């Protein structure tokens, strides 16, 4: 069964509006796919990397202070910001020439920063426990919100995008996500030798979906994020938007539900 600690990160999301959760799926705040990966994982990873005996900074969970939790959150954010620049470049590249999932996957794998948790020798379940332990602390909450791309008022809508266009774009995103999931599942079914890294799959899906949306709707990830923020009150009660949102989460959950 799932432990309480496995849900601690999700508990922090429970009070958030639908539109904020959507930012996790959309990846509008670049790197959100990475934190989405963290949030969707219920069990610790079984890969040898997670148990690396040589992890230089391996520290005992019980000894980790609040300051160290903040440091880890800051490092995840810094890594995410670097990836944001790389993802933007990749999105442009995907639009310029038709790039396959596997080609995009390989490109992302080449530029993907190292996993901060692995560097500290922490498993996801342990990180969940730490977030749960400090979830009432304002600084920790702010660190998590920053990673998730929660608004700080700095992002202003650059284009006048209607609510209908936002919903249509998200519906299109869902279709593209389903295409990615089908590709990954088919590749696994055809060859047992096909192994995908979960975080790279999430980032690949993010880059492909962002490129497709920009091609079809002329909206960048920043445009989408600004539009979602602008219409947050309307979207929070929009049944179609909520339904699409839920399906997106289901697709991502299935896509990343286990080692591929």
């Amino acid at each position: 069964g799932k432990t309480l600690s496995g849900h601690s990160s999700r508990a922090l999301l429970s009070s958030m509006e639908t539109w904020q959760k959507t930012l996790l799926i959309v990846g509008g705040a670049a790197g959100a796919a990475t934190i989405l990966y963290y949030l969707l994982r219920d069990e610790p990873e079984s890969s040898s990397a997670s148990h690396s005996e040589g992890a230089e900074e391996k520290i005992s969970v019980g000894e980790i202070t609040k300051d160290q939790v903040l440091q880890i959150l800051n490092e995840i954010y810094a890594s995410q910001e670097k990836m944001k620049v790389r993802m933007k470049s990749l999105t442009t590249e995907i639009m310029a020439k038709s790039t396959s999932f596997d080609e995009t996957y390989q490109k992302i794998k080449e530029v993907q920063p190292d996993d901060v948790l692995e560097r500290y020798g922490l498993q996801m379940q342990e990180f969940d426990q730490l977030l749960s332990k400090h979830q009432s602390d304002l600084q920790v909450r702010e660190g998590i919100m920053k990673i998730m791309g929660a608004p700080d008022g700095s992002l202003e809508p650059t284009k006048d995008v209607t609510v209908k266009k936002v919903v249509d774009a998200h519906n299109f995103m869902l279709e593209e996500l389903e295409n990615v999931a089908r590709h990954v599942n088919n590749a696994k079914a055809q060859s047992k030798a096909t192994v995908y890294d979960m975080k790279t799959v999430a980032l690949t899906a993010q880059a492909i979906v962002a490129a497709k949306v920009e091609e079809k709707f002329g909206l960048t990830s920043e445009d989408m994020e600004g539009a979602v923020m602008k219409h947050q009150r309307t979207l929070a009660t929009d049944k179609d938007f909520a339904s699409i949102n839920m399906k997106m989460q289901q697709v991502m959950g299935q896509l990343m539900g286990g080692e591929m």
Side-chain angles (χ1 to χ4, degrees):
K2 296 175 182 177
T3 60
L4 180 63
S5 63
H7 291 280
S8 61
S9 300
R10 240 176 259 86
L12 292 174
L13 294 178
S14 63
S15 63
M16 297 172 72
E17 300 278 359
T18 303
W19 64 274
Q20 286 177 309
K21 292 180 185 177
T22 303
L23 294 184
L24 294 177
I25 306 295
V26 173
T34 308
I35 199 66
L36 174 69
Y37 163 82
Y38 288 140
L39 294 172
L40 283 174
R41 293 290 286 182
D42 286 314
E43 305 298 332
E45 285 193 56
S46 58
S47 67
S48 58
S50 296
H51 303 277
S52 174
E53 293 174 10
E56 289 179 19
E57 301 179 56
K58 169 68 177 171
I59 37 184
S60 167
V61 177
E63 295 171 1
I64 295 178
T65 63
K66 186 195 86 172
D67 285 344
Q68 286 172 313
V69 171
L70 289 172
Q71 183 182 335
I72 293 169
L73 287 171
N74 283 334
E75 285 183 30
I76 290 173
Y77 179 71
S79 173
Q80 178 174 297
E81 286 298 292
K82 283 182 189 173
M83 198 61 194
K84 178 194 275 189
V85 177
R86 294 165 181 169
M87 290 290 281
K88 199 161 188 173
S89 171
L90 273 170
T91 300
T92 305
E93 196 175 321
I94 294 168
M95 287 172 64
K97 56 181 181 180
S98 186
T99 312
S100 71
F101 175 88
D102 290 306
E103 286 171 330
T104 307
Y105 178 89
Q106 286 304 324
K107 286 178 186 292
I108 286 175
K109 206 167 178 65
E110 287 166 16
V111 300
Q112 194 175 336
D114 68 326
D115 187 297
V116 175
L117 294 187
E118 284 183 10
R119 181 147 41 82
Y120 278 92
L122 285 171
Q123 294 181 33
M124 188 56 241
Q125 192 177 43
E126 294 170 326
F127 191 54
D128 267 338
Q129 288 169 354
L130 287 169
L131 293 181
S132 181
K133 180 181 174 183
H134 297 287
Q135 63 181 314
S136 61
D137 183 88
L138 184 61
Q139 285 180 294
V140 172
R141 289 180 72 88
E142 284 175 352
I144 294 167
M145 297 289 273
K146 190 163 74 166
I147 287 171
M148 297 193 311
D152 58 6
S154 63
L155 188 74
E156 292 296 325
T158 53
K159 293 180 181 175
D160 188 21
V161 185
T162 64
V163 171
K164 183 181 185 304
K165 193 167 186 178
V166 171
V167 175
D168 287 347
H170 280 74
N171 199 34
F172 179 69
M173 284 178 180
L174 173 60
E175 291 171 10
E176 291 302 322
L177 265 182
E178 287 171 340
N179 288 338
V180 169
R182 268 194 296 274
H183 174 86
V184 172
N185 289 330
N186 289 340
K188 281 196 307 174
Q190 287 171 14
S191 172
K192 288 184 178 179
T194 302
V195 178
Y196 288 113
D197 172 75
M198 297 295 129
K199 292 181 288 294
T200 314
V201 165
L203 290 166
T204 304
Q206 181 183 330
I208 290 171
V209 170
K212 298 274 188 181
V213 168
E214 193 167 343
E215 270 179 345
K216 186 176 175 68
F217 294 91
L219 299 171
T220 64
S221 293
E222 288 82 2
D223 293 333
M224 283 297 297
E225 190 178 349
V228 169
M229 287 182 188
K230 179 183 177 183
H231 299 300
Q232 58 182 279
R233 291 184 184 278
T234 307
L235 292 170
T237 57
D238 188 298
K239 289 182 181 178
D240 289 338
F241 188 71
S243 174
I244 292 165
N245 218 3
M246 194 176 295
K247 287 174 186 172
M248 275 184 168
Q249 291 185 38
Q250 288 169 353
V251 173
M252 287 301 283
Q254 290 162 5
L255 183 64
M256 303 168 67
E259 294 303 324
M260 291 188 174

